[in-house]
Amino acid sequence: MTRIFSFEDLPTADLVVDAIYEGGSAGNTSSDPIAKLLPGAGNQGGFRASGLGLKRKFVVLYSSGEEGDWPDRLDLNTGQFVYYGDNRTPGHDLHDTRRRGNLLLKAAFENAHGDAPKRAEVPPFFVFTKCPTAKSNRSVQFKGLAAPGFPGLPMTEDLVAVWKTTAGERFQNYRSVFTVLDAATVSRAWIDSLSAPEGTSAIAPSAWRSWIESGVYMPLTSEPTKVIRTESEQRPDTALKAAILERVWAHFKDSPHAFESFAARIYQLSDRRVIIDEITRGSVDGGRDAIGRYLLGLSGDPVYAEFALEAKCYRPASDGVAANTVGVREVARLISRIRHRQFGILVTTSVVARQAYEEVRGDRHPIVFICGRDSPRY
């Protein structure tokens, strides 16, 4: 059972990975748990830094998971955390933000790619996500201690300025990539020491000390204990995601063939190594709505695995209406079309029925399911 820290216990609590820290009952910013848990972090906003100037004591990265234009994402398998900066409206320079969050990101990533003395100037980043409880809608979950950058990712790709357009106006924001480190618990003693004039690095988590001293990341990786998602785990986990999914289904429900191109693009957005070669015609698709390749080798010496993609624009569950699930028949149709050394992709606005899911995983068919909850990483 997930550990829950009460609002009253926050000032003395350690930071435990995946533990929940409850908010207060006042119904305003005084009930914010992060401000009480980490004094100096502030009680609102997604980017919260303690201290003055660019040399901060620590930084909190808070994600509600409800901003569709800024899809922060934590990959539990690899420990990679993607976080978007704080220039989220037109009319400002990339670094001209009220909280100076993007300036801090720029400085932190520059120092992260330097030597040990430079890395020592990087503040620890604490990652939290929204996690409402019965007692407070402001409760949060601690996802880990993070360092800028990711193993094997070039320094030209871990902090990238991306363009967005809102109401016809263009602006830039940072897309930053962090590594959540293998630190199951961040002690209260170290948290308190960060506010001292000279922080005590000796009591810092070993994964953080190792990164500072050597630049080597020790990611918190976790292998799933189950490979069959329940229907609830395939559905959107926020109201915003459910609304987006409903809009997609309503748009394509009367033209399922048009959904095929959309589904292929969704898969392509989920992984940079995906190449879509052809969207097949509905009357002659042979059970495949799209075909493509997945890059396995180096870009200069590529090796490809071919795949077949099937798209199902089925009604998702909403307002008491049951979902039209993808069943054994639909999945079996895709499996029968996969040739030797190929794999299959099934993209649906709905969910995959448990029996179909169990049969695919039990028989170890190479099928990737992209369901209503799943969204592109980039």
Side-chain angles (χ1 to χ4, degrees):
M1 185 176 180
T2 304
R3 184 175 183 181
I4 299 178
F5 289 88
S6 69
F7 188 66
E8 293 71 27
D9 292 336
L10 299 188
T12 58
D14 296 332
L15 295 180
V16 180
V17 168
D18 284 345
I20 295 172
Y21 297 83
E22 287 196 311
S25 57
N28 52 41
T29 55
S30 66
S31 293
D32 181 78
I34 294 176
K36 195 167 185 178
L37 182 64
L38 298 167
N43 57 17
Q44 57 185 328
F47 197 103
R48 312 185 190 186
S50 174
L52 300 175
L54 295 180
K55 291 186 177 181
R56 299 301 180 104
K57 302 169 185 176
F58 61 83
V59 178
V60 170
L61 301 179
Y62 169 74
S63 178
S64 67
E66 298 178 351
E67 296 191 59
D69 289 333
W70 312 107
D72 303 329
R73 179 185 178 96
L74 173 60
D75 188 329
L76 299 180
N77 295 317
T78 65
Q80 184 182 93
F81 178 59
V82 176
Y83 188 80
Y84 288 85
D86 62 349
N87 190 39
R88 303 191 173 192
T89 55
H92 300 277
D93 178 74
L94 174 63
H95 301 118
D96 181 23
T97 60
R98 185 169 63 87
R99 294 178 178 271
R100 298 294 186 264
N102 280 356
L103 271 176
L104 288 174
L105 285 176
K106 181 176 181 290
F109 277 80
E110 287 178 350
N111 288 332
H113 295 300
D115 54 15
K118 283 294 185 181
R119 286 192 297 274
E121 296 182 15
V122 177
F125 288 80
F126 300 128
V127 179
F128 289 86
T129 57
K130 183 176 182 179
C131 188
T133 61
K135 290 186 177 180
S136 176
N137 189 52
R138 293 179 177 269
S139 300
V140 298
Q141 187 172 41
F142 178 59
K143 306 308 293 186
L145 166 65
F150 188 75
L153 190 65
M155 60 184 297
T156 55
E157 295 184 23
D158 57 17
L159 184 68
V160 179
V162 295
W163 285 97
K164 290 281 187 175
T165 302
T166 296
E169 297 183 86
R170 294 165 294 177
F171 63 103
Q172 284 182 302
N173 194 17
Y174 275 134
R175 176 185 179 274
S176 58
V177 182
F178 290 81
T179 299
V180 172
L181 300 175
D182 188 1
T185 300
V186 176
S187 71
R188 171 54 55 177
W190 185 52
I191 294 171
D192 291 341
S193 79
L194 294 174
S195 298
E198 295 294 334
T200 308
S201 60
I203 57 175
S206 60
W208 179 258
R209 295 200 311 270
S210 176
W211 178 74
I212 294 293
E213 295 166 4
S214 66
V216 175
Y217 297 94
M218 299 170 57
L220 176 57
T221 60
S222 56
E223 183 178 346
T225 57
K226 60 181 179 180
V227 295
I228 300 173
R229 292 185 291 176
T230 65
E231 291 189 11
S232 63
E233 290 171 331
Q234 298 176 56
R235 298 188 188 108
D237 54 354
T238 68
L240 176 61
K241 292 179 183 179
I244 293 173
L245 182 64
E246 182 72 21
R247 180 66 62 87
V248 169
W249 173 72
H251 180 80
F252 289 109
K253 65 178 181 178
D254 295 325
S255 54
H257 292 313
F259 178 68
E260 295 165 6
S261 296
F262 181 84
R265 181 59 175 156
I266 287 292
Y267 180 48
Q268 192 172 37
L269 286 172
S270 73
D271 195 316
R272 294 176 177 176
R273 290 175 172 256
V274 172
I275 302 168
I276 301 297
D277 289 319
E278 181 183 357
I279 308 297
T280 57
R281 288 184 297 155
S283 59
V284 293
D285 65 6
R288 301 175 299 176
D289 295 328
I291 54 177
R293 293 164 292 152
Y294 186 84
L295 176 62
L296 298 175
L298 302 175
S299 58
D301 185 21
V303 174
Y304 298 101
E306 296 181 351
F307 64 81
L309 183 146
E310 185 84 0
K312 296 297 179 186
C313 188
Y314 285 3
R315 183 188 65 241
S318 63
D319 298 329
V321 179
N324 181 10
T325 61
V326 176
V328 173
R329 180 176 60 84
E330 294 94 330
V331 174
R333 183 170 179 263
L334 175 60
I335 293 172
S336 68
R337 299 302 192 274
I338 298 174
R339 299 192 296 268
H340 182 53
R341 294 182 179 177
Q342 286 187 331
F343 65 99
I345 314 296
L346 195 148
V347 181
T348 179
T349 49
S350 184
V351 299
V352 178
R354 183 168 184 84
Q355 181 182 353
Y357 220 127
E358 288 179 339
E359 289 187 8
V360 166
R361 294 294 180 254
D363 293 338
R364 303 184 70 176
H365 292 297
I367 301 294
V368 176
F369 291 128
I370 298 179
C371 305
R373 175 180 292 199
D374 306 317
S375 58
R377 182 175 303 180
Y378 301 106

